[in-house]
Amino acid sequence: MSEPWSRQVNHTAKPWSRRVDHTVRPWSRRVNRMSGPWFGRVHIWTMVQPDGSHNNLVGDEIYYSSKFISNRSFSTRQEAYKWAKTVAKENRFDLCVTSVRTNPVSLLKVVYIGCDGTGGYRCRMKDPAKPLRKNTASKKCLCTFRLKIKEECDGVVVVQPITGRHNHRLIVYRDGHTSQTALDDEQKEYVLDQARAQVKPGKIRLGLHVHSPNKPQPVGKKFTIAYALVETETTEGYTWVLEKLRSLLSDDVVPNAIVTDREQGLIAAIPIVFLNTYHLFRTFHIYNAVEIRAREAVGDDDQVNAITYGRWAKVVDAGTEQQMLRAWDDLQVRWSRRAPGLIIYIAETWMVHRENFCRCYTNKVTHFGNTATSRVEAAYAVLKDWLSI
């Protein structure tokens, strides 16, 4: 079956032969070759960027079909879906229902389930060939992971895998993902019982750790512990601030990571006070700085987005050092002649500090996904307004 915006050719042979599925869309091209669960699969995803380049999306090279192959049967579709969600959660990804179809003869339903990255960004721009949207928070990246929940004639419901590979990184830190840290039914019942007994929220939170010590608790909060007013933003001034901060902490408490802007005084002061603490740069500030320089260099909004949120984003978000260096080489080859000043700026300003913001390095540090200082900046703005600075 083909869709109005695609051209699909589906050749299906016996279970012991391969099936080739070609799907072409205006804003992407995907070639998906797959066979039975006992054969290997080859997946190639290609997204066309606004500058005409291609973005090959590669997952973690692990096939998750075997996780969902089971002799279990279920009495209802809801029970089967809950089991599939639990298995997905254990493997650090989330599932959602993509479609439901009904057999016109038997009237039995088939529920198709995909990764939360299923589908793609639906372009709202006038030109559908340029779907790239800056600062998008969408998780959709054309992930082809699929399951189906099928009703049998005898009333039994089974879960069957269709494709088992993701084309994106899975969840690294569970904190910040509701699907990974949400309270389960047992924990919800515990909270309700404690609330009916008029137990204070703080004691309920502590009781959750005792009641379910091996389950992640969605109780982590960011909060301010100190403000500091300095006369000058120099290494000496920042060193004084960090020393005062260190005095507030216990001797055995040392932060794993500190997130700041690219402030030269802080860069020099942090190793003086916190020698073994990893220094991270907030990525939002980096993207804004590169976008401003790219606009000065090329001017065109589409090309600015293609540089900042296309090729530069590949450098920042690369999973390995080899992928990061390859993406950096691609960026230089593409824009070194048309925007040499931009390439020099990125190389001298940011790439010399790549270990402070590139994910291939920062993912080795426990920072729970915190790469922004937005909350601190907001509190700082309120404080400035109150002091009328």
Side-chain angles (χ1 to χ4, degrees), residues 52-333:
S53 62
H54 298 269
N55 178 19
N56 292 326
L57 304 175
V58 181
D60 56 2
E61 304 296 336
I62 299 177
Y63 297 88
Y64 293 88
S65 297
S66 60
K67 306 292 184 181
F68 298 90
I69 297 178
S70 173
N71 295 326
R72 295 186 57 178
S73 59
F74 307 91
S75 57
T76 62
R77 297 192 304 272
Q78 290 78 9
E79 183 183 352
Y81 180 63
K82 184 176 180 180
W83 174 81
K85 292 268 290 186
T86 302
V87 176
K89 180 178 178 179
E90 294 173 353
N91 291 276
R92 294 181 179 267
F93 62 94
D94 195 20
L95 298 177
C96 60
V97 177
T98 58
S99 63
V100 180
R101 298 180 183 179
T102 304
N103 190 312
V105 179
S106 61
L107 300 180
L108 297 177
K109 293 184 180 297
V110 178
V111 180
Y112 289 89
I113 304 174
C115 171
D116 58 357
T118 299
Y121 166 57
R122 295 184 180 181
C123 180
R124 305 297 181 185
M125 301 171 63
K126 293 182 180 180
D127 187 358
K130 299 177 180 179
L132 190 63
R133 179 182 64 177
K134 77 170 188 176
N135 291 335
T136 177
S138 175
K139 298 179 181 179
K140 298 185 180 299
C141 57
L142 305 179
C143 183
T144 58
F145 180 88
R146 294 289 187 281
L147 301 173
K148 67 178 179 180
I149 298 177
K150 184 179 180 182
E151 290 182 338
E152 303 289 350
C153 296
D154 54 358
V156 176
V157 179
V158 296
V159 178
Q160 297 177 351
I162 301 177
T163 59
R165 181 181 174 183
H166 299 271
N167 67 341
H168 56 90
R169 290 188 303 272
L170 302 185
I171 296 173
V172 179
Y173 302 104
R174 297 184 186 272
D175 298 279
H177 293 268
T178 305
S179 63
Q180 298 290 313
T181 59
L183 299 178
D184 57 24
D185 295 338
E186 182 182 354
Q187 292 173 322
K188 290 179 181 178
E189 187 64 29
Y190 173 80
V191 172
L192 289 175
D193 291 340
Q194 296 295 308
R196 294 189 190 104
Q198 298 183 354
V199 179
K200 294 182 178 181
K203 292 186 177 181
I204 294 177
R205 184 181 67 178
L206 295 175
L208 275 174
H209 290 279
V210 178
H211 182 71
S212 306
N214 297 324
K215 296 180 181 179
Q217 310 294 337
V219 296
K221 299 292 183 182
K222 300 177 184 177
F223 53 90
T224 302
I225 62 172
Y227 287 99
L229 299 177
V230 294
E231 183 177 359
T232 58
E233 296 181 350
T234 61
T235 301
E236 292 75 15
Y238 284 123
T239 301
W240 175 82
V241 171
L242 294 176
E243 287 176 347
K244 296 301 181 182
L245 175 62
R246 184 69 183 89
S247 66
L248 298 176
L249 305 176
S250 303
D251 294 336
D252 57 342
V253 175
V254 179
N256 291 324
I258 295 178
V259 184
T260 71
D261 293 341
R262 191 185 62 88
E263 181 66 42
Q264 296 299 329
L266 270 173
I267 294 176
I270 289 176
I272 296 176
V273 182
F274 297 102
L275 179 61
N276 298 320
T277 299
Y278 203 93
H279 186 191
L280 304 177
F281 291 169
R282 68 180 188 126
T283 54
F284 180 79
H285 170 70
I286 297 174
Y287 277 111
N288 283 348
V290 172
E291 181 180 7
I292 292 173
R293 288 302 185 103
R295 182 163 282 105
E296 294 175 355
V298 298
D300 182 72
D301 289 341
D302 292 333
Q303 293 183 348
V304 170
N305 290 339
I307 295 173
T308 308
Y309 304 101
R311 294 187 178 275
W312 175 242
K314 294 180 184 178
V315 178
V316 177
D317 296 333
T320 64
E321 185 176 11
Q322 291 75 15
Q323 293 175 354
M324 183 271 297
L325 295 175
R326 191 181 309 116
W328 170 234
D329 291 339
D330 292 341
L331 176 61
Q332 295 181 86
V333 170

